[in-house]
Amino acid sequence: MDDDVAVGPLDLPARVDDALAVQALAFGLTAGEVAVRRHIVLRHMACRGARSYGATARGGRLVGFVYGMPNDRAHWWSTVVQPYLVREGNEGWLDDSFVITELHVHPDYQGRGIGTELITTITARADEPRSILSAIDTESPARRLYRSLGYVDLARPVHFPSAARPYAVMGAPLPLRRPSGAR
């Protein structure tokens, strides 16, 4: 990982605007989408077991973040992905799993191991035996990262309301596999 960046616990509610600025750049969000996501992030961080980590460059600039929580079948995300997981015989992944809700790294800092450090740090502190997440269902650096850590496709394509592109739901046993050369 980049020696000029430190990964540690993040008070996401206090830094939500900084985090969403990173997400907007990394994910190509509009100002309207950022406003909607701000409310979602704050609501998620009030959930049982929710936690977040940030990647901070010198001077305190937030250049990446991850947050997640133990999965709850009553949460919106679970209700959307459940029928797809049932179809693939993977519904059990919704139980005893830690969900990676968001993971984003500023484009100028991608490819430096920051995403790996963020996701392995947050999942290392999970009590659950496995992790699940959703990612846009296309070959991308994010999907390659997840695969390198042990995530496999559980269901695809998954269609979220209002999302133009299909997603894949992925899962991995914990602890995550560490790529060679990672700290």
PDB file of all heavy atoms in Angstrom, residues 155-168:
ATOM      1  N   ALA A 155     -24.589 -14.590  -7.435  1.00  0.00           N
ATOM      2  CA  ALA A 155     -25.758 -14.356  -8.287  1.00  0.00           C
ATOM      3  C   ALA A 155     -25.443 -13.231  -9.255  1.00  0.00           C
ATOM      4  O   ALA A 155     -24.852 -12.227  -8.873  1.00  0.00           O
ATOM      5  CB  ALA A 155     -26.976 -14.000  -7.452  1.00  0.00           C
ATOM      6  N   ARG A 156     -25.846 -13.443 -10.502  1.00  0.00           N
ATOM      7  CA  ARG A 156     -25.708 -12.418 -11.529  1.00  0.00           C
ATOM      8  C   ARG A 156     -26.548 -12.815 -12.729  1.00  0.00           C
ATOM      9  O   ARG A 156     -26.732 -14.002 -12.934  1.00  0.00           O
ATOM     10  CB  ARG A 156     -24.247 -12.185 -11.898  1.00  0.00           C
ATOM     11  CG  ARG A 156     -23.499 -13.399 -12.369  1.00  0.00           C
ATOM     12  CD  ARG A 156     -22.034 -13.125 -12.595  1.00  0.00           C
ATOM     13  NE  ARG A 156     -21.790 -12.294 -13.737  1.00  0.00           N
ATOM     14  CZ  ARG A 156     -21.286 -12.731 -14.886  1.00  0.00           C
ATOM     15  NH1 ARG A 156     -20.964 -14.003 -15.039  1.00  0.00           N
ATOM     16  NH2 ARG A 156     -21.098 -11.915 -15.877  1.00  0.00           N
ATOM     17  N   PRO A 157     -27.080 -11.901 -13.461  1.00  0.00           N
ATOM     18  CA  PRO A 157     -27.130 -10.468 -13.166  1.00  0.00           C
ATOM     19  C   PRO A 157     -28.210 -10.170 -12.132  1.00  0.00           C
ATOM     20  O   PRO A 157     -29.242 -10.814 -12.092  1.00  0.00           O
ATOM     21  CB  PRO A 157     -27.479  -9.851 -14.518  1.00  0.00           C
ATOM     22  CG  PRO A 157     -28.286 -10.912 -15.215  1.00  0.00           C
ATOM     23  CD  PRO A 157     -27.727 -12.229 -14.733  1.00  0.00           C
ATOM     24  N   VAL A 158     -27.946  -9.174 -11.304  1.00  0.00           N
ATOM     25  CA  VAL A 158     -28.877  -8.704 -10.286  1.00  0.00           C
ATOM     26  C   VAL A 158     -29.268  -7.281 -10.675  1.00  0.00           C
ATOM     27  O   VAL A 158     -28.402  -6.456 -10.953  1.00  0.00           O
ATOM     28  CB  VAL A 158     -28.220  -8.733  -8.885  1.00  0.00           C
ATOM     29  CG1 VAL A 158     -29.131  -8.097  -7.846  1.00  0.00           C
ATOM     30  CG2 VAL A 158     -27.852 -10.157  -8.500  1.00  0.00           C
ATOM     31  N   HIS A 159     -30.572  -7.045 -10.697  1.00  0.00           N
ATOM     32  CA  HIS A 159     -31.064  -5.726 -11.117  1.00  0.00           C
ATOM     33  C   HIS A 159     -31.637  -4.978  -9.914  1.00  0.00           C
ATOM     34  O   HIS A 159     -32.599  -5.428  -9.298  1.00  0.00           O
ATOM     35  CB  HIS A 159     -32.121  -5.877 -12.211  1.00  0.00           C
ATOM     36  CG  HIS A 159     -31.575  -6.526 -13.438  1.00  0.00           C
ATOM     37  ND1 HIS A 159     -30.856  -5.844 -14.390  1.00  0.00           N
ATOM     38  CD2 HIS A 159     -31.585  -7.820 -13.835  1.00  0.00           C
ATOM     39  CE1 HIS A 159     -30.476  -6.675 -15.335  1.00  0.00           C
ATOM     40  NE2 HIS A 159     -30.893  -7.885 -15.023  1.00  0.00           N
ATOM     41  N   PHE A 160     -31.006  -3.854  -9.592  1.00  0.00           N
ATOM     42  CA  PHE A 160     -31.500  -2.990  -8.521  1.00  0.00           C
ATOM     43  C   PHE A 160     -32.415  -1.941  -9.131  1.00  0.00           C
ATOM     44  O   PHE A 160     -32.127  -1.420 -10.209  1.00  0.00           O
ATOM     45  CB  PHE A 160     -30.335  -2.287  -7.807  1.00  0.00           C
ATOM     46  CG  PHE A 160     -29.528  -3.195  -6.930  1.00  0.00           C
ATOM     47  CD1 PHE A 160     -28.337  -3.726  -7.383  1.00  0.00           C
ATOM     48  CD2 PHE A 160     -29.959  -3.516  -5.654  1.00  0.00           C
ATOM     49  CE1 PHE A 160     -27.581  -4.569  -6.577  1.00  0.00           C
ATOM     50  CE2 PHE A 160     -29.214  -4.351  -4.840  1.00  0.00           C
ATOM     51  CZ  PHE A 160     -28.032  -4.879  -5.308  1.00  0.00           C
ATOM     52  N   PRO A 161     -33.509  -1.595  -8.436  1.00  0.00           N
ATOM     53  CA  PRO A 161     -34.376  -0.531  -8.940  1.00  0.00           C
ATOM     54  C   PRO A 161     -33.568   0.756  -9.134  1.00  0.00           C
ATOM     55  O   PRO A 161     -32.716   1.084  -8.322  1.00  0.00           O
ATOM     56  CB  PRO A 161     -35.416  -0.348  -7.824  1.00  0.00           C
ATOM     57  CG  PRO A 161     -35.361  -1.614  -7.038  1.00  0.00           C
ATOM     58  CD  PRO A 161     -33.967  -2.134  -7.160  1.00  0.00           C
ATOM     59  N   SER A 162     -33.782   1.415 -10.199  1.00  0.00           N
ATOM     60  CA  SER A 162     -33.152   2.692 -10.565  1.00  0.00           C
ATOM     61  C   SER A 162     -31.685   2.576 -10.966  1.00  0.00           C
ATOM     62  O   SER A 162     -31.060   3.572 -11.295  1.00  0.00           O
ATOM     63  CB  SER A 162     -33.315   3.749  -9.462  1.00  0.00           C
ATOM     64  OG  SER A 162     -32.415   3.512  -8.400  1.00  0.00           O
ATOM     65  N   ALA A 163     -31.105   1.372 -10.948  1.00  0.00           N
ATOM     66  CA  ALA A 163     -29.724   1.200 -11.422  1.00  0.00           C
ATOM     67  C   ALA A 163     -29.776   0.780 -12.887  1.00  0.00           C
ATOM     68  O   ALA A 163     -30.444  -0.193 -13.234  1.00  0.00           O
ATOM     69  CB  ALA A 163     -28.988   0.159 -10.594  1.00  0.00           C
ATOM     70  N   ALA A 164     -29.073   1.522 -13.714  1.00  0.00           N
ATOM     71  CA  ALA A 164     -29.109   1.244 -15.147  1.00  0.00           C
ATOM     72  C   ALA A 164     -28.373  -0.050 -15.508  1.00  0.00           C
ATOM     73  O   ALA A 164     -28.776  -0.758 -16.427  1.00  0.00           O
ATOM     74  CB  ALA A 164     -28.501   2.416 -15.916  1.00  0.00           C
ATOM     75  N   ARG A 165     -27.306  -0.351 -14.769  1.00  0.00           N
ATOM     76  CA  ARG A 165     -26.494  -1.520 -15.102  1.00  0.00           C
ATOM     77  C   ARG A 165     -26.746  -2.662 -14.120  1.00  0.00           C
ATOM     78  O   ARG A 165     -27.022  -2.417 -12.943  1.00  0.00           O
ATOM     79  CB  ARG A 165     -25.012  -1.146 -15.079  1.00  0.00           C
ATOM     80  CG  ARG A 165     -24.677  -0.090 -16.141  1.00  0.00           C
ATOM     81  CD  ARG A 165     -23.211   0.201 -16.188  1.00  0.00           C
ATOM     82  NE  ARG A 165     -22.836   1.062 -15.073  1.00  0.00           N
ATOM     83  CZ  ARG A 165     -21.616   1.532 -14.875  1.00  0.00           C
ATOM     84  NH1 ARG A 165     -20.643   1.217 -15.694  1.00  0.00           N
ATOM     85  NH2 ARG A 165     -21.355   2.312 -13.847  1.00  0.00           N
ATOM     86  N   PRO A 166     -26.621  -3.899 -14.596  1.00  0.00           N
ATOM     87  CA  PRO A 166     -26.785  -5.038 -13.683  1.00  0.00           C
ATOM     88  C   PRO A 166     -25.576  -5.183 -12.753  1.00  0.00           C
ATOM     89  O   PRO A 166     -24.470  -4.733 -13.071  1.00  0.00           O
ATOM     90  CB  PRO A 166     -26.887  -6.234 -14.623  1.00  0.00           C
ATOM     91  CG  PRO A 166     -26.227  -5.810 -15.879  1.00  0.00           C
ATOM     92  CD  PRO A 166     -26.392  -4.308 -15.974  1.00  0.00           C
ATOM     93  N   TYR A 167     -25.816  -5.834 -11.637  1.00  0.00           N
ATOM     94  CA  TYR A 167     -24.803  -6.070 -10.616  1.00  0.00           C
ATOM     95  C   TYR A 167     -24.577  -7.570 -10.453  1.00  0.00           C
ATOM     96  O   TYR A 167     -25.383  -8.387 -10.904  1.00  0.00           O
ATOM     97  CB  TYR A 167     -25.253  -5.497  -9.262  1.00  0.00           C
ATOM     98  CG  TYR A 167     -25.013  -4.016  -9.137  1.00  0.00           C
ATOM     99  CD1 TYR A 167     -25.751  -3.098  -9.876  1.00  0.00           C
ATOM    100  CD2 TYR A 167     -24.043  -3.524  -8.271  1.00  0.00           C
ATOM    101  CE1 TYR A 167     -25.529  -1.733  -9.757  1.00  0.00           C
ATOM    102  CE2 TYR A 167     -23.814  -2.163  -8.151  1.00  0.00           C
ATOM    103  CZ  TYR A 167     -24.555  -1.281  -8.892  1.00  0.00           C
ATOM    104  OH  TYR A 167     -24.326   0.063  -8.783  1.00  0.00           O
ATOM    105  N   ALA A 168     -23.498  -7.901  -9.758  1.00  0.00           N
ATOM    106  CA  ALA A 168     -23.227  -9.255  -9.306  1.00  0.00           C
ATOM    107  C   ALA A 168     -23.175  -9.213  -7.787  1.00  0.00           C
ATOM    108  O   ALA A 168     -22.651  -8.260  -7.213  1.00  0.00           O
ATOM    109  CB  ALA A 168     -21.900  -9.754  -9.858  1.00  0.00           C
TER     110      ALA A 168
END
